[in-house]
Amino acid sequence: MILGIDIGGTKCAVIKAKADGENIELLDKRKIPTRMDITPEEMIESLISLADEMLDGEKAEKIGISCGGPLDSRNGIILGPPNLPGWDEVHISERISQHFGVPALLQNDANACAVAEWKFGAGMGADNMVFLTFGTGLGAGLILNGRLYTGTNDNAGEAGHIRLERFGPVGYGKAGSFEGFCSGGGLRRLGAQRLRQLRAEAGDAGFWPAPRAAEAVTAKDICMAAQAGDGTAQAIVEESAAYLGMGLSILIDLFNPERIVIGSIFARAEALFRPGMEAVIAREALAQSAAVCRVVPAQLGDSIGDVAALTIAIEFSQKNGKSVTDYGA
């Protein structure tokens, strides 16, 4: 029996499963809101109580914890993620391992999703793979030469921080960043900007209901309208797709991957983004590297967070009392 704990800015989940190394069987999942009115330690105690209820006397063999960074995966410490205010120097692995008496291993959620897609999804069989979240933000996980690469202090793969333009929508605290153009938040900001322009110019709200505030537009609104043929929405998506191609070209040139797996918005609306993305890759990336790289949608869908947390428990091992990645040789 293994447990996965997925910690997010709005909700947390505890997942119970069985695994044989090649397959994961999900047995139970329960979610609770991430409360900001209590301490991180109290929130962790709530997750422990939830896990105890789910186990109902059974013993967990391993536990995986997925959480946004920054964090110290080797020592199991959460280091103040922007979506978890107050979660500074939280020794989560120690507390959970202490309670259950088994290893509780912590990993960055983008890295965990990368390993999940690599082992059980669209990245299977690839030795060199890049995973991009393309959700609320733009995170990345890197599989290089058959191993997860996390960098010197767990900060490898922060592709969303790359600046693609001097000016542009803000993402990851930086105007014109990869995340600014290619994320749910980035699409929302592009849409709001265009809506304000339309209303200032002609009072035409395009595909948005006229009374709706510009800031209320969502990435889902934009993609659905683009799929329905709205020209304004299509132009916004085309702009995002072009910058997606630019960002991917950088990753292709740097890492020479055989596969780039993209989740969330891209996976749901691939047909909208692919033409513009591929046109830029053909122009910007090294031809020899682009020729061997396939860009594909993630396969695990809405279950990726669950599988990612469980994959940490399955695929990460213990060495000298600290969690390490231990793939390949």
Side-chain angles (χ1 to χ4, degrees):
M1 192 69 61
I2 58 174
L3 285 179
I5 299 175
D6 185 17
I7 298 175
T10 57
K11 65 180 182 300
C12 297
V14 179
I15 310 99
K16 183 172 77 169
K18 289 183 178 179
D20 60 11
E22 295 183 0
N23 299 290
I24 295 176
E25 180 186 356
L26 301 181
L27 301 176
D28 195 3
K29 174 182 176 178
R30 301 185 192 180
K31 296 185 289 185
I32 55 174
T34 305
R35 293 179 56 184
M36 299 302 174
D37 60 334
I38 61 176
T39 67
E41 290 73 21
E42 289 171 320
M43 190 68 210
I44 291 168
E45 292 304 315
S46 295
L47 292 170
I48 287 173
S49 296
L50 190 61
D52 280 336
E53 290 177 16
M54 292 173 67
L55 288 171
D56 192 25
E58 293 182 276
K59 182 175 176 60
E61 299 170 9
K62 299 177 182 178
I63 301 171
I65 308 164
S66 173
C67 182
L71 50 78
D72 177 353
S73 65
R74 288 183 175 270
N75 294 296
I77 305 171
I78 298 173
L79 299 173
N83 64 339
L84 291 169
W87 288 60
D88 305 317
E89 297 281 339
V90 178
H91 293 246
I92 188 169
S93 290
E94 180 181 6
R95 177 66 190 101
I96 291 178
S97 180
Q98 181 185 62
H99 178 84
F100 291 101
V102 297
L105 309 179
L106 173 69
Q107 188 53 251
N108 177 288
D109 54 1
N111 288 341
C113 288
V115 177
E117 284 287 344
W118 180 43
K119 288 290 183 179
F120 303 104
M124 290 178 65
D127 285 331
N128 295 287
M129 185 199 93
V130 176
F131 172 80
L132 295 178
T133 57
F134 205 146
T136 303
L138 185 78
L142 307 173
I143 306 295
L144 303 178
N145 293 329
R147 299 173 69 92
L148 175 68
Y149 179 74
T150 59
T152 303
N153 64 345
D154 278 338
N155 280 316
E158 296 295 355
H161 201 244
I162 297 171
R163 194 188 299 277
L164 299 180
E165 291 286 358
R166 289 182 62 195
F167 305 103
V170 175
Y172 212 133
K174 183 185 285 187
S177 65
F178 196 177
E179 181 172 297
F181 287 106
C182 300
S183 65
L187 279 170
R188 178 181 57 77
R189 282 182 282 273
L190 286 170
Q193 179 185 44
R194 184 58 180 147
L195 175 55
R196 286 191 292 267
Q197 290 172 348
L198 285 169
R199 287 178 174 166
E201 292 168 3
D204 180 6
F207 60 91
W208 292 282
R212 193 167 178 186
E215 290 69 24
V217 68
T218 67
K220 183 178 180 181
D221 291 334
I222 295 167
C223 290
M224 289 181 65
Q227 288 168 335
D230 183 274
T232 302
Q234 288 174 341
I236 294 168
V237 172
E238 286 167 6
E239 182 177 4
S240 179
Y243 283 105
L244 176 61
M246 191 178 297
L248 294 185
S249 296
I250 294 170
L251 299 177
I252 289 169
D253 287 353
L254 280 176
F255 300 115
N256 190 201
E258 61 196 279
R259 215 165 300 166
I260 296 177
V261 179
I262 312 180
S264 196
I265 294 169
F266 180 85
R268 296 187 186 102
E270 177 187 359
L272 293 177
F273 288 90
R274 184 169 289 280
M277 173 197 80
E278 289 185 338
V280 175
I281 291 173
R283 185 176 71 243
E284 294 287 334
L286 286 168
Q288 301 94 325
S289 297
V292 297
C293 179
R294 292 173 52 223
V295 181
V296 299
Q299 288 183 356
L300 296 177
D302 292 338
S303 67
I304 189 168
D306 303 341
V307 178
L310 295 166
T311 299
I312 296 168
I314 298 166
E315 297 294 335
F316 287 68
S317 64
Q318 284 286 99
K319 185 176 182 181
N320 298 327
K322 298 178 180 180
S323 64
V324 297
T325 56
D326 190 23
Y327 308 119

